[in-house]
Amino acid sequence: MMSSEATLLSMEACRLCPRGCGVNRSAGERGFCRMGTQPVVVRAALHFWEEPCLSEGGGAGTVFFAGCSLGCVYCQNREISSAEFSETGRGRVMTSAELAETFLELEAQGANNIDLVTAGHFLPAVRDALIQAREKGLSLPVVYNTGGYERPETLRMLEGLVDIYLPDLKYLDPALSEKYSGCRDYAEWAKAALAEMVRQCGDAVFDDKGHMKRGVIVRHLVLPGQTGEAKRVLRYLHETYGNRIFISLLRQYTPMPGIEKLFPELGRAVAPEEYERAVSFAERIGIEKGFLQEEGAVGEGYIPDFSGKASGFPSKCTKEENHG
């Protein structure tokens, strides 16, 4: 009988994420993420739009993976995360060895870290790639950038390979997570996953340039009309973890074309006063370690180019403009 870790890694009855589809991805079956077993990389490039401690200077060595186990209706990366993307044939399917070389190429380009964006549904191959890259000399911190909908037992397979966790905590309200992300159990899993992340990485460590080398940064995107939910999330994070974690309060919500037809309340940007109320609340309850996002960090100009014109694969890693 296979161990639980071996069962997860085999993907013969995939339960890598909380969806627990149980499909045999090794035999070509497709679950919620619509992906096979090999990583599909849409973009690998130096990226300057993460939190300053991750991207200032050389930029984050960001690797964007296709597909997603969450599928939020307002996703800014929906072009590559949606089920429809799997039918386009875009992106580059990589072996673990090729992915390891991509990490090493980004290091050679001067990246501050290796920033894995939505990699969970490819975890077995990504894990192998990280091991191979370390054996070949990769010395950068590895950032696991996720929507937060993760199984703790899956994350445990990354212990010792991931240095910085960068999860979202999108909602605590089951009705909101069901409406916007199709999973009523989001908060239950995200809380458990965050506890595992903090267990692994603990208190933050920085180098003399102010770059994070180890730690946890939790993002919360303020949604239109949801300042109350933002306050509940902030309170939970602070009461549970205090200043062990950094909290990144995002104001960058951008209405994707057509979203107002199905979700009228999401058809506008977050009003300045909504964001400021969330900021004032964070200050009032004593949150000290975190990041705020400047006004104007909204718009499709903040969405990376996934067209393939600047794919940034090995030997062609691109340097994006810093939009602040």
Side-chain angles (χ1 to χ4, degrees):
M1 182 178 294
M2 289 192 295
S3 68
S4 58
E5 179 176 305
T7 300
L8 280 172
L9 289 171
S10 74
M11 292 202 285
E12 291 180 359
C14 187
R15 289 184 170 80
L16 283 172
C17 83
R19 299 280 182 190
C21 299
V23 299
N24 188 344
R25 291 171 63 185
S26 299
E29 295 178 6
R30 298 290 185 265
F32 185 90
C33 69
R34 304 296 297 170
M35 293 289 136
T37 59
Q38 294 294 95
V40 180
V41 176
V42 184
R43 184 174 178 79
L46 299 180
H47 186 67
F48 293 82
W49 305 350
E50 307 290 32
E51 283 71 9
C53 64
L54 300 178
S55 59
E56 273 190 352
T62 307
V63 181
F64 288 93
F65 295 90
C68 182
S69 59
L70 200 49
C72 304
V73 298
Y74 50 82
C75 180
Q76 289 182 236
N77 292 350
R78 189 167 181 79
E79 181 183 353
I80 66 168
S81 67
S82 67
E84 292 78 10
F85 183 84
S86 64
E87 310 300 326
T88 68
R90 288 170 49 206
R92 177 174 168 183
V93 179
M94 288 190 177
T95 64
S96 295
E98 290 171 328
L99 189 56
E101 289 300 321
T102 297
F103 300 158
L104 293 167
E105 177 68 18
L106 287 167
E107 181 172 36
Q109 292 286 326
N112 297 335
N113 48 59
I114 301 300
D115 182 13
L116 307 174
V117 182
T118 319
H121 48 295
F122 295 123
L123 186 136
V126 170
R127 180 176 183 263
D128 286 347
L130 289 172
I131 292 171
Q132 292 178 43
R134 290 293 191 207
E135 290 174 347
K136 291 183 177 182
L138 180 72
S139 62
L140 297 178
V142 172
V143 181
Y144 191 80
N145 188 333
T146 170
Y149 195 51
E150 304 272 359
R151 286 181 178 270
E153 59 267 36
T154 302
L155 296 174
R156 279 194 284 274
M157 292 192 291
L158 292 169
E159 187 164 7
L161 295 172
V162 168
D163 305 281
I164 300 166
Y165 280 102
L166 183 60
D168 294 334
L169 184 57
K170 296 176 181 293
Y171 337 86
L172 294 180
D173 183 351
L176 277 179
S177 64
E178 182 174 43
K179 183 177 183 180
Y180 294 146
S181 299
C183 51
R184 192 171 181 82
D185 59 355
Y186 173 85
E188 172 189 344
W189 287 106
K191 287 178 180 180
L194 178 55
E196 173 62 20
M197 295 172 187
V198 174
R199 184 195 71 79
Q200 287 185 28
C201 291
D203 296 342
V205 176
F206 297 85
D207 66 12
D208 56 6
K209 296 180 181 178
H211 294 149
M212 181 177 278
K213 295 298 182 182
R214 189 171 184 85
V216 178
I217 302 173
V218 182
R219 289 171 166 173
H220 178 71
L221 175 66
V222 181
L223 294 174
Q226 294 298 335
T227 301
E229 183 69 355
K231 292 178 179 180
R232 284 186 286 273
V233 168
L234 291 169
R235 184 181 292 281
Y236 170 79
L237 291 172
H238 188 58
E239 290 182 349
T240 307
Y241 297 105
N243 288 313
R244 291 199 70 195
I245 64 171
F246 280 73
I247 300 172
S248 184
L249 191 61
L250 305 180
R251 72 190 305 163
Q252 69 187 42
Y253 172 77
T254 300
M256 293 293 97
I259 195 169
E260 73 284 350
K261 297 176 183 177
L262 294 175
F263 303 95
E265 72 278 15
L266 296 181
R268 64 172 178 86
V270 173
E273 57 270 22
E274 290 178 304
Y275 184 76
E276 292 306 321
R277 285 201 297 272
V279 171
S280 295
F281 179 79
E283 293 172 344
R284 189 163 66 250
I285 64 174
I287 294 176
E288 298 175 356
K289 293 185 176 180
F291 302 94
L292 304 179
Q293 205 167 34
E294 65 185 17
E295 189 172 358
V298 177
E300 294 187 33
Y302 283 81
I303 303 173
D305 179 7
F306 299 121
S307 67
K309 296 176 182 177
S311 58
F313 288 119
S315 299
K316 296 191 298 181
C317 292
T318 57
K319 191 170 186 177
E320 296 168 351
E321 292 182 6
N322 185 356
H323 287 255

